[in-house]
Amino acid sequence: MTEPTVETGSDSRAARPTPARRTSVRDIQARKGGTPLVCLTAYTAPMARLLDAHADLLLVGDSLGMAVYGLDTTLDVSVEMMINHGRAVAKTAERACVVVDLPFGSYQESPEQAFRNAATVLARTGASAVKLEGGQEMAETVRFLSARGIPVMGHVGLTPQAVNQLGGFRVQGRDEAAAERIRGDATAIARAGAFAIVVEGVIEPLAREITRAVKIPTVGIGASADCDGQVLVSEDMLGLFGENTPRFVKHYARLDQTIDAAVRQYAEEVRQRGFPEAAHVTRPRQS
């Protein structure tokens, strides 16, 4: 069989590969009850490039305050920080849906404040949606944003921005009163128009129950395998923090050990003048 030829010249554009279509919030919403969503955090362009082919959703989480900046909590993260990291990820990712967290203090005051900051984040990053924490008290804000063209991902259960009120990073929903509150939170956010909801740090039966109760996808973290998807902090999953990770994290690699070995070898070669070798330096041109 004769192989087809590729035309060149003015019509050569037709032979170029079609750019990947970015996963939309509607695509995410349609995955309810289907193949689980693969979600990971990304804070930088290099990480986004590595994760994009495998993840359905990349979350530029305010967890970058702890993972990147070494802060104790997420409370000191600013809108400007989220924009800078969100732009790097959204510009690099070609396939995954990119969602950017609204940081503490940027949306709780009023729906109007939330809209101003969310609109700025989306306009300056190119991301597809924002995520905010909270339950019934944030339903009005979610409804306000959704009605004005800003897709919102919710977040209930263990909400890190409320760490002081919760008394630390503790599992939520152990008693019936707490479980009932979290059920109400998830239902309120779903009814307000969120396209998906993160369920973090709640007991497994409660996460399963919430997943069955709401009509939008749930994304679990320290919750249940029955959630419609899972999310982890990439640096945790890749073992960049050693053993200092939450108990629900599974190490799929130990890059801390790989990096340590590589840097040790580099340091030894530099000290012994083994690096750079001839192949790594520029020689004068021969006359």
Side-chain angles (χ1 to χ4, degrees):
M1 180 181 293
T2 303
E3 293 293 328
T5 58
V6 178
E7 297 290 337
T8 59
S10 60
D11 292 331
S12 62
R13 288 174 296 179
R16 295 176 183 173
T18 303
R21 184 180 76 85
R22 172 159 296 177
T23 302
S24 69
V25 295
R26 284 181 176 268
D27 294 329
I28 298 296
Q29 214 166 3
R31 293 279 289 275
K32 177 69 180 179
T35 303
L37 293 158
V38 177
C39 310
L40 287 165
T41 62
Y43 314 124
T44 65
M47 188 65 81
R49 187 174 296 111
L50 291 169
L51 302 179
D52 187 46
H54 309 286
D56 300 301
L57 186 149
L58 293 178
L59 174 63
V60 187
D62 59 358
S63 50
L64 64 84
M66 304 166 76
V68 177
Y69 292 92
L71 303 175
D72 292 330
T73 70
T74 64
L75 300 183
D76 199 32
V77 174
S78 68
V79 172
E80 198 63 30
M81 289 164 68
M82 297 308 306
I83 288 173
N84 289 336
H85 289 272
R87 183 190 296 122
V89 172
K91 183 178 180 180
T92 305
E94 296 181 348
R95 196 189 73 85
C97 181
V98 177
V99 179
V100 179
D101 266 351
L102 293 180
F104 178 70
S106 70
Y107 61 93
Q108 290 94 338
E109 181 180 331
S110 67
E112 290 78 12
Q113 180 206 31
F115 177 81
R116 287 192 299 271
N117 285 314
T120 298
V121 166
L122 294 188
R124 292 181 59 188
T125 65
S128 297
V130 297
K131 181 173 78 64
L132 55 78
E133 297 179 8
Q136 298 170 67
E137 76 284 0
M138 296 309 304
E140 179 186 357
T141 295
V142 172
R143 187 174 294 107
F144 188 92
L145 296 181
S146 299
R148 287 158 179 78
I150 295 181
V152 180
M153 188 176 197
H155 186 152
V156 302
L158 197 171
T159 47
Q161 292 179 12
V163 62
N164 291 330
Q165 187 177 36
L166 296 175
F169 297 98
R170 299 179 176 179
V171 174
Q172 301 295 302
R174 290 192 183 278
D175 61 80
E176 183 52 37
E180 184 59 31
R181 173 180 56 78
I182 296 170
R183 289 189 200 97
D185 288 342
T187 300
I189 294 300
R191 288 177 177 171
F195 71 91
I197 187 167
V198 171
V199 180
E200 179 173 358
V202 303
I203 59 173
E204 198 278 336
L206 177 59
R208 189 184 335 117
E209 181 182 344
I210 289 171
T211 298
R212 293 172 178 172
V214 300
K215 296 181 179 180
I216 59 175
T218 59
V219 177
I221 177 168
S224 172
D226 285 339
C227 289
D228 298 298
Q230 301 295 326
V231 65
L232 284 176
V233 172
S234 296
E235 284 76 2
D236 286 343
M237 181 266 287
L238 293 171
L240 284 171
F241 297 132
E243 300 298 335
N244 188 27
T245 53
R247 61 173 294 179
F248 57 78
V249 171
K250 178 179 178 179
H251 286 144
Y252 286 84
R254 287 303 302 264
L255 295 190
D256 57 338
Q257 298 172 1
T258 302
I259 292 170
D260 180 73
V263 175
R264 182 185 297 112
Q265 180 179 350
Y266 166 72
E268 290 175 356
E269 291 184 7
V270 168
R271 292 178 182 127
Q272 296 171 7
R273 300 193 184 279
F275 177 85
E277 300 172 5
H280 307 123
V281 296
T282 303
R283 300 290 185 179
R285 290 182 177 177
Q286 297 295 326
S287 58

